[in-house]
Amino acid sequence: MNHIFRKYEGQHTMLGLMKEYKSQVDQPIDKQLLDILGTWLQKHMTYIDKTKEEK
């Protein structure tokens, strides 16, 4: 995964970064990252909801 959260199987080079990013900007964000973020949000939102109930 690269800095714009897309899967990239090729070789990363400093000279090729802009070309790599431009070719990927219209692709969806990597599903694995979305799954991890979803799990994290569910865990932390549940915690926030519980602390609001206690007040």
Side-chain angles (χ1 to χ4, degrees), residues 9-39:
E9 301 297 331
Q11 181 70 24
H12 299 287
T13 64
M14 291 302 290
L15 294 175
L17 281 179
M18 289 302 292
K19 184 177 180 181
E20 177 185 325
Y21 291 167
K22 285 180 183 180
S23 71
Q24 293 181 322
V25 73
D26 292 326
Q27 295 178 6
I29 292 175
D30 186 60
K31 183 176 178 349
Q32 183 181 9
L33 173 64
L34 294 176
D35 292 341
I36 291 168
L37 284 174
T39 302

